[in-house]
Amino acid sequence: MEIVSIESDPTRMGLIDEIVAGEWEMFHTVKNIGGPAQCQSQQQTFQIMRRAQFRTWGKKALGSYLEDVKRAQIQGRNLMTEKYGRMMAVTHPDEFERIAPMLPPPTLQVLEMASKIASYHEVWDKEAASMYPFIRANGRPFDGEGAQEQASADTYMRAELLTYSAETLLYLLKDVETAANSNRNLVIEQLAATVKQYGWANIDEAEVYLANQAAANA
């Protein structure tokens, strides 16, 4: 997949804008047992994180996922609700058994493609943690559930992948395989896109700042 900056490609920017807008409408209306979560009112943070993720996707994957979002809206489905529901298979397995029948069952093809994509991200995430430990430490732990019942990055990603259509997963898997064959690390690219949106010139500058801040607070 060609590395194209969002700012220089209006077609990609338009696709990402539509996707993030549709996802936000779903995200901030997710119904939680204890009431709305604090993050559901943080639209800017949500947009930064989602844009960074989609920055690494190709046009076909973006276009297909936009159709997933539009189709879900027509059907009255909330893909964010489904994602958090699927995360409960790991974080709250007893509760998940109760809601599982309400979630669309993934096909074997979807399960296989989601697992392949997740396996690439596992390798990339470990490399990212090795190269940029202070930036990576600000995110979810990759595996194992974190403090305050925070789902791991792996649990989060696998649950999200199961909300995508088979067509979207097919395009995304091709993007991931192409990136791997080109020795690209999409997790690092997503982190780089994230820190840039927060005003850093590049990921190395952000890592040095966080390292110095940690040393000063030690």
Side-chain angles (χ1 to χ4, degrees), residues 160-175:
E160 179 170 323
L161 290 171
L162 295 182
T163 68
Y164 300 167
S165 68
E167 183 178 31
T168 296
L169 286 171
L170 181 61
Y171 287 131
L172 187 56
L173 179 58
K174 289 180 179 178
D175 287 345

Side-chain angles (χ1 to χ4, degrees), residues 86 104-115 161-162 164-167 169:
R86 293 190 185 282
T107 65
L108 180 59
Q109 180 190 23
V110 163
L111 289 169
E112 289 177 346
M113 288 191 291
S115 180
L161 290 171
L162 295 182
Y164 300 167
S165 68
E167 183 178 31
L169 286 171

Side-chain angles (χ1 to χ4, degrees), residues 85-202:
R86 293 190 185 282
M87 287 163 58
M88 292 171 66
V90 175
T91 59
H92 298 83
D94 292 338
E95 185 68 15
F96 178 74
E97 289 185 11
R98 183 182 66 82
I99 67 170
M102 295 181 278
L103 299 172
T107 65
L108 180 59
Q109 180 190 23
V110 163
L111 289 169
E112 289 177 346
M113 288 191 291
S115 180
K116 287 180 181 178
I117 292 169
S119 67
Y120 281 104
H121 277 263
E122 179 179 4
V123 174
W124 286 332
D125 206 299
K126 289 179 179 178
E127 183 181 13
S130 175
M131 295 178 65
Y132 300 101
F134 292 96
I135 292 175
R136 185 60 190 86
N138 280 279
R140 296 172 180 270
F142 179 74
D143 53 18
E145 307 316 309
Q148 299 180 344
E149 299 181 335
Q150 181 189 39
S152 69
D154 186 58
T155 296
Y156 185 97
M157 176 178 55
R158 289 176 183 272
E160 179 170 323
L161 290 171
L162 295 182
T163 68
Y164 300 167
S165 68
E167 183 178 31
T168 296
L169 286 171
L170 181 61
Y171 287 131
L172 187 56
L173 179 58
K174 289 180 179 178
D175 287 345
V176 165
E177 291 175 336
T178 299
N181 291 334
S182 301
N183 294 317
R184 291 171 56 199
N185 182 318
L186 298 190
V187 171
I188 290 178
E189 290 185 20
Q190 289 169 9
L191 292 175
T194 300
V195 300
K196 187 174 182 180
Q197 290 181 86
Y198 278 110
W200 301 106
N202 54 58

Side-chain angles (χ1 to χ4, degrees), residues 134 206-218:
F134 292 96
E207 179 69 12
V208 169
Y209 173 84
L210 291 176
N212 290 338
Q213 189 177 58
N217 295 331

